[in-house]
C-alpha cells in the first residue's frame, strides 16, 4: 500500500444471486483514529474486488464484510506520486501541493475504437502537450461516429434491453486499463458519465438504472487518482433529464465517491449551476474566453473552457476554427488564469477524427499549446485576472460629475449592448501578485502598444509570438508604463517578470 | 434649374445688424399646386444666398422676402443625376429609384487638414471603392489629432469665445466645396454635426448656440443632395448632453431640413433610439456584425455598421484589426443586407492616419471591399437576411415534446448565454426572394460545407474567396442541399444565382 496509489484486494466468492452491480460488499480502512468505508464490487468470474485510495501514509487495518469476509493489515508507505488533482481556489493542485495546469484535449469515444486506433492515440498523446483527456463511458453516435464498439458497459437482457445489474466485466477492465495507462502518462481522465449522442439507449435509461450504473462505476473507479467526473457532455440537450435529475445524479456521485474527485457538468448552451457545493470547477462550453475573470469572481472556482470549438475543417462551425484561432483561445483563457481544452476535427474519409476517435493529430495547434504550457508551467504560481490600469493614460477623471455620468451611461446599457461591448473591449491579462504580469493582445495587430507595470518594482519584459513560438527580451529593467514596439500582427503576448 | 441639383440665388444686401446666422430671409418655390418654403442665409461680403433643391421638374415661380426682396421664374429641367439617397425599407435608393449600396469610409477631420493632405485624400478616394465618407463639421482633438485647423465654423467674440452668430464664411465655403467635390465623385458626405473630441469649446456650447449653428448649417447645406446628417459621432460620450438634448437637436434638424436628408445618430456604447420617426437608418458602432438581421427586424430600417473597428496597427483595440478582419466584417454585414464602413489607422510618425486626416490609403482591405461592392452592385436587388434551413439536415423533430423542451431550454438561457451563443453560432447569409442566395462562412475554415437551396428552382453556384478575390463556378445547375468542397480556410462565400 502506498499513499496516493490504488490499493487492491481481490477475493474469490460465489457469484451474486441477484444484481452483479449492487453487491453487498463493504470495506473499512483504518489508520490511527480515522476510518474510511468503501464499497467493493463484483469483478466477474466468481471474484470480488475492493479498491482503496490511501491519502495518508501509516499502518492500516482493513476489514471486508458482506459477500466476502476478510481482514488484514498494511503499511502504507509515503507517496512517490503527487496524488489526485484538486481545486484550490481558482486553480488546481495535486494533493502533494504541486500545481496542475490542465491543458486538455478531447477524444470522446477513445475507449470505443479498435485496438489499432487506440494505440495510435496513445502514441499521439505521448508526443502531445495534453495532460487531460475528455472521454466517455458510453459509446458515441453522431456525424463521423457511425461505428459500434466491441464492448458495452452492460450485458443485455433477453429482450435486448440493457441490464445495468450485469456489468460487462471485459468492458470495465478495458476502460480501466485506458484510464490507468493515461494516468501513468501524467494524463487525467475527464470522464464523461452521460452524453446525448446515443444510439443504444444509454441516454434514456431510468433514474434507477442510472444510479445502479453509477454505483458500479464508483465502486470500480473511485480509487483511481487520475479521474475527474464530468457528469455529462452537453447535459442540457439530454432532453430526457430535468435539472432536478442532474442534481440527483450529482448528489449521488458526490455522496458515493469517498475521495472527492473533481466534479463538474458540461453544457451545450446553458451553463450548469457551478455555485453548487459539490461542483469543484466551471466546466464550460463557449468561445467567450473573456469570461474567465467574471466566472472566477462569480464562483470562486477554477474555470476550464472544456469546449471552445475545435481546430479543423468540417462543416460544423464548432469544428472548423483555424489552428491560429485554437491557439488564440488557449492564450486568451490561460493568461487570465483560466484553462482551455483542445479538440481537432479535420475531415477524413475514414471518419477517424481526433475529437471523437483519436488516432493521429494533424493540426498545427498542439505544438503551440505545448509552447504555452511550458510558459505557464515555469511561472512561480497560478495566474489571476489582471485589470491593467489603462485608464491611467487618460489622467484623473475631472471632478465635475463626468465620472458619475460615465457610470450612469454604463448602467444604462442593455444586456445586449454590455455583452457585445465585452467582446469588443475584452482585455486578456493575468498576474501573480506583483511578481509576474502576462498580457495577451489576441487579434490586435499592434505596431505600438504598452504594458502598465507597477512603478515601484523592476521587470524583465519579454515579447512573445504565440504562433512562431519565440520569446524576445525587450527590456531587462522596466517599470511603470512601458512602451512596446510590436510587429503589427495578431498573436502577440507580453510577459513581465520581476527582477530583484 | 434642374431636378435633383442645387439651384442657387445670390443677392447683394446690407450686412445684418445683429445675427449673421439667424437672418430674416425666406424664399418660396412654387411648382403647380405645391410650394416649398426655404430659408436663405447671409454669405458675407454684403451678399445673401438662397439654395433650393427641386424634386420635381416643371415651371417654377419663386419669391424671396425679408432682408432681400426678389422674385422670378425658372424652368426646372428633368434630372440628369439620380437625386438624394433615401431609405427604402431596409435598404437605400436614390430618388430616381436606382439602388445605393453604401460602402463608406471614415475621415473624421477631412476638412480640417492642409490643402496638400486634402488633395491626397481626394486622389485616394478617386481610386477607392468608397461612396460615403463620415466627416465632421468641427475639428478634432484626440490621439494622432493634435493639429489646429486653419478655419473654424465661427468667428470669435472679443473674450475669445465662439460667436455662433458670426459664421466664418471662408470655413463654410471650404466645407461646402469639399462636400460638393465628394458628391461630384459619387461620394455621399455622412456629415457629423457634433462630436466629443473637442479642444475648442464646440462640444460644450449651450443649446441656444447649438440651434443657431444648426440653423445656419441647414440654410447653407440642405439643398445639397449628397449629404446625410449624422447628429454626432459617439453622441453618448458627449457628457454635456442628455438624451433629451439629443431629441431637441434631432427634432430641430428634422424640422428645418426641407428635403429630409438621411438622419441618424452614432453611438460609442449605447445605441441611439432608432425607432424614432425622424431616424432613417441604424447608424451603429459595434463589431457584432451578426446583429444585422435582428436590427432590421427591430427597426425596419437600413443597418449601417458605421464603426466596426479599423484596419490598422495602433495601440487602441478599435484601431488595430487586420485587413482580413476588416474585409471579414464587411462581408458578414453585407451578405445579410447590412452595410459597413471602413476606417484605417496605421501608425505614422507624421500622425496622418486615414481615419482622422485622410492622405494615402495604406491598407489591404480597400481593394477587397471594391471586390465585394462589385458583387453586391451586380445583384438584381437588395439582400435581406436569410435563415438557411440547416435544421432540415436533422430531419423532423420527433413529435414527443422534444421541440418544446428545446424551446424551453432556449428560453431558460440568461441574456449572457444567449448573446454569447449568437457570437458562436451566427450565420451570415442573405437572399433576394428566390433569385439569389449569398452565404458567407466568415472565420469558418471548411473543407466540406453545403448550401441549402430551394428544391424547386435551379441555381448557378459560385464559390468566392474574399481575400484572393476569385469567383469559381462550381455548379451550373444545382438545387436543394448542395454540397461544397472548399479550401479549408477562412473568408469563403457562396453565391447561388437562379438560372431559368
Amino acid at each position: 500500500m502506498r499513499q496516493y496509489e490504488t490499493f487492491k484486494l481481490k477475493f474469490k466468492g460465489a457469484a451474486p444471486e441477484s444484481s452483479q452491480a449492487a453487491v453487498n460488499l463493504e470495506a473499512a480502512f483504518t489508520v490511527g483514529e480515522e476510518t474510511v468505508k468503501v464499497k467493493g464490487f463484483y469483478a466477474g468470474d466468481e471474484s470480488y474486488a475492493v479498491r482503496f485510495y490511501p491519502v495518508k501514509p501509516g499502518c492500516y487495518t482493513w476489514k471486508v464484510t458482506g459477500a466476502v469476509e476478510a481482514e488484514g493489515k498494511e503499511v502504507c508507505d509515503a507517496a512517490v506520486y503527487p496524488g489526485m488533482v484538486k481545486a484550490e481556489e481558482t486553480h488546481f493542485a495535486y494533493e502533494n501541493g504541486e500545481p496542475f495546469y490542465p491543458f486538455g484535449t478531447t477524444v470522446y469515444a477513445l475507449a470505443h475504437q479498435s485496438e489499432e486506433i487506440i494505440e495510435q492515440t496513445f502514441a499521439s498523446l505521448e508526443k502531445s502537450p495534453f495532460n487531460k483527456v475528455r472521454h466517455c463511458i458510453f459509446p458515441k453516435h453522431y456525424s463521423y461516429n457511425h461505428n459500434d464498439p466491441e464492448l458495452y458497459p452492460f450485458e443485455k437482457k433477453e429482450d435486448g434491453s440493457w441490464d445495468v445489474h450485469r456489468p460487462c466485466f471485459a468492458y470495465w477492465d478495458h476502460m480501466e486499463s485506458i484510464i490507468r495507462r493515461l494516468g501513468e502518462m501524467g494524463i487525467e481522465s475527464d470522464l464523461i458519465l452521460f452524453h446525448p449522442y446515443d444510439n443504444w439507449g444509454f441516454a434514456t435509461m431510468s433514474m434507477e438504472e442510472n444510479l445502479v450504473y453509477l454505483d458500479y462505476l464508483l465502486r470500480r473507479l473511485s480509487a483511481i487518482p487520475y479521474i475527474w467526473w464530468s457528469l455529462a457532455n452537453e447535459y442540457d440537450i439530454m432532453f430526457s433529464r430535468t435539472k432536478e435529475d442532474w442534481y440527483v445524479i450529482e448528489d449521488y456521485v458526490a455522496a458515493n465517491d469517498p475521495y472527492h474527485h473533481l466534479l463538474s457538468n458540461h453544457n451545450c448552451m446553458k451553463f450548469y449551476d457551478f455555485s453548487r457545493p459539490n461542483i469543484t470547477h466551471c466546466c464550460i462550453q463557449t468561445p467567450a474566453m473573456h469570461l474567465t475573470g467574471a466566472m472566477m469572481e462569480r464562483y470562486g472556482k477554477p474555470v476550464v473552457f472544456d469546449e471552445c470549438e475545435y481546430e479543423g475543417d468540417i462543416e460544423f462551425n464548432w469544428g472548423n476554427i483555424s489552428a491560429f484561432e485554437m491557439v488564440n483561445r488557449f492564450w486568451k483563457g490561460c493568461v487570465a488564469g483560466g484553462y482551455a481544452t483542445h479538440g481537432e476535427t479535420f475531415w477524413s474519409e475514414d471518419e477517424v477524427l481526433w475529437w471523437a476517435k483519436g488516432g493521429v493529430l494533424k493540426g498545427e495547434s498542439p505544438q503551440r499549446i505545448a509552447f504555452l504550457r511550458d510558459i505557464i508551467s515555469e511561472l512561480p504560481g497560478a495566474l489571476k485576472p489582471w485589470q491593467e490600469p489603462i485608464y491611467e493614460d487618460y489622467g484623473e477623471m475631472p471632478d465635475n460629475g463626468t465620472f458619475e455620468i460615465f457610470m450612469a451611461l454604463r448602467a444604462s446599457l442593455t444586456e445586449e449592448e454590455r455583452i457585445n461591448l465585452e467582446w469588443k473591449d475584452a482585455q486578456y491579462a493575468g498576474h501573480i501578485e506583483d511578481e509576474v504580469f502576462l498580457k495577451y493582445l489576441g487579434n490586435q495587430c499592434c505596431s505600438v502598444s504598452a504594458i502598465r507595470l507597477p512603478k515601484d518594482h523592476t521587470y524583465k519584459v519579454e515579447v512573445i509570438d504565440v504562433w512562431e513560438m519565440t520569446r524576445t527580451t525587450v527590456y531587462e529593467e522596466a517599470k511603470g508604463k512601458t512602451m512596446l514596439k510590436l510587429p503589427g500582427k495578431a498573436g502577440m503576448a507580453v510577459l513581465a517578470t520581476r527582477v530583484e
Side-chain angles (χ1 to χ4, degrees), chain A:
Chain A
M1 191 185 276
R2 193 154 55 196
Q3 185 189 19
Y4 302 153
E5 290 180 46
T6 312
F7 175 71
K8 297 178 178 182
L9 291 168
K10 198 151 188 180
F11 308 96
K12 280 284 162 195
E17 283 173 18
S18 56
S19 175
Q20 295 188 348
V23 298
N24 174 25
L25 189 65
E26 276 218 345
F29 289 83
T30 302
V31 59
E33 303 288 289
E34 200 173 306
T35 295
V36 178
K37 287 189 178 170
V38 303
K39 288 184 191 165
F41 61 93
Y42 182 63
D45 198 20
E46 301 195 332
S47 70
Y48 289 84
V50 166
R51 306 273 170 83
F52 175 63
Y53 177 78
V55 174
K56 289 184 183 171
C59 294
Y60 279 79
T61 57
W62 56 263
K63 186 171 183 179
V64 174
T65 52
V68 170
E69 309 260 327
E71 56 184 74
K73 286 186 181 179
E74 286 289 331
V75 173
C76 178
D77 296 327
V80 172
Y81 297 111
M84 215 177 267
V85 176
K86 303 270 177 161
E88 295 273 347
E89 297 178 355
T90 58
H91 55 275
F92 296 101
Y94 289 103
E95 281 168 303
N96 75 348
E98 280 177 34
F100 178 80
Y101 304 114
F103 284 83
T105 187
T106 311
V107 189
Y108 284 129
L110 166 57
H112 306 283
Q113 307 310 316
S114 69
E115 203 183 310
E116 186 195 346
I117 292 179
I118 291 175
E119 288 306 318
Q120 273 185 347
T121 306
F122 275 105
S124 301
L125 286 170
E126 193 73 69
K127 292 176 289 182
S128 86
F130 303 120
N131 60 7
K132 177 168 90 73
V133 176
R134 283 179 63 74
H135 63 111
C136 300
I137 293 288
F138 293 120
K140 186 175 175 196
H141 181 77
Y142 192 72
S143 301
Y144 305 107
N145 288 261
H146 298 109
N147 53 327
D148 284 334
E150 202 182 314
L151 299 167
Y152 297 90
F154 319 116
E155 304 294 348
K156 281 184 173 170
K157 295 180 193 162
E158 278 183 14
D159 67 2
S161 67
W162 296 110
D163 187 349
V164 293
H165 290 285
R166 283 201 299 140
C168 170
F169 303 110
Y171 167 88
W172 289 99
D173 290 344
H174 172 66
M175 177 54 85
E176 202 178 305
S177 75
I178 283 180
I179 293 168
R180 290 203 176 273
R181 193 165 159 191
L182 289 169
E184 284 156 15
M185 291 163 67
I187 298 173
E188 305 283 308
S189 280
D190 196 359
L191 201 59
I192 296 165
L193 307 184
F194 296 97
H195 69 77
Y197 303 108
D198 180 44
N199 195 34
W200 305 274
F202 300 119
T204 49
M205 299 191 305
S206 69
M207 185 56 81
E208 196 185 331
E209 289 171 316
N210 292 337
L211 299 187
V212 173
Y213 147 65
L214 290 173
D215 181 22
Y216 188 76
L217 175 137
L218 291 163
R219 290 166 186 242
R220 274 201 80 127
L221 303 183
S222 290
I224 303 177
Y226 9 82
I227 295 178
W228 304 19
W229 309 126
S230 191
L231 295 181
N233 187 43
E234 302 192 335
Y235 82 93
D236 49 335
I237 60 167
M238 290 190 72
F239 293 135
S240 62
R241 310 268 167 87
T242 64
K243 191 166 70 172
E244 288 66 32
D245 289 339
W246 286 109
Y247 295 162
V248 170
I249 288 170
E250 176 206 307
D251 287 339
Y252 188 86
V253 171
N256 290 277
D257 165 13
Y259 313 107
H260 312 298
H261 290 257
L262 289 166
L263 173 60
S264 196
N265 200 1
H266 186 73
N267 65 291
C268 174
M269 288 184 274
K270 176 81 191 162
F271 289 175
Y272 197 63
D273 180 358
F274 303 119
S275 70
R276 292 174 61 82
N278 291 324
I279 299 300
T280 54
H281 62 286
C282 306
C283 169
I284 57 186
Q285 174 173 170
T286 179
M289 313 307 290
H290 57 271
L291 293 182
T292 310
M295 298 290 284
M296 279 186 183
E297 197 170 317
R298 208 174 296 167
Y299 300 109
K301 297 178 183 179
V303 175
V304 188
F305 292 86
D306 265 315
E307 187 181 331
C308 56
E309 308 187 312
Y310 306 132
E311 180 186 359
D313 65 358
I314 57 172
E315 65 271 42
F316 307 113
N317 65 337
W318 48 262
N320 56 33
I321 69 171
S322 68
F324 174 78
E325 188 55 26
M326 183 92 259
V327 174
N328 195 27
R329 291 182 190 179
F330 263 79
W331 274 87
K332 286 179 175 178
C334 289
V335 296
Y339 304 100
T341 299
H342 162 271
E344 187 185 288
T345 45
F346 283 104
W347 188 89
S348 173
E349 186 139 30
D350 65 6
E351 295 210 333
V352 181
L353 280 63
W354 174 267
W355 121 98
K357 297 184 183 171
V360 176
L361 280 163
K362 300 168 185 169
E364 298 179 275
S365 67
Q367 57 171 313
R368 274 102 188 165
I369 295 168
F371 174 72
L372 170 60
R373 184 180 164 184
D374 287 345
I375 290 171
I376 297 290
S377 304
E378 284 167 16
L379 296 179
L383 290 157
K384 289 191 174 167
W386 177 44
Q387 276 293 331
E388 187 181 6
I390 53 172
Y391 293 104
E392 281 181 7
D393 292 7
Y394 303 105
E396 296 275 313
M397 274 272 187
D399 187 21
N400 61 0
T402 302
F403 180 73
E404 286 69 26
I405 297 170
F406 179 77
M407 294 312 287
L409 168 61
R410 295 287 306 199
S412 80
L413 299 181
T414 64
E415 280 285 274
E416 183 177 85
E417 287 163 345
R418 186 184 64 74
I419 293 163
N420 287 337
L421 265 185
E422 282 178 5
W423 280 88
K424 174 169 173 275
D425 292 336
Q427 304 285 326
Y428 303 95
H431 73 125
I432 303 169
E433 306 302 333
D434 56 9
E435 296 299 308
V436 172
F437 295 88
L438 179 57
K439 170 176 173 174
Y440 181 53
L441 289 161
N443 299 76
Q444 298 187 54
C445 305
C446 307
S447 70
V448 286
S449 190
I451 185 166
R452 290 149 191 91
L453 298 169
K455 297 182 180 74
D456 49 355
H457 297 298
T458 306
Y459 296 86
K460 181 176 104 167
V461 178
E462 290 170 86
V463 166
I464 298 170
D465 183 324
V466 310
W467 185 256
E468 299 299 335
M469 298 178 281
T470 57
R471 299 170 67 156
T472 310
T473 300
V474 293
Y475 293 96
E476 291 291 351
E477 294 192 339
K479 56 172 65 178
K481 182 176 176 180
T482 301
M483 297 307 297
L484 300 164
K485 278 201 69 166
L486 294 172
K489 64 175 195 170
M492 302 304 298
V494 190
L495 173 62
T497 317
R498 187 170 154 187
V499 287
E500 288 313 319

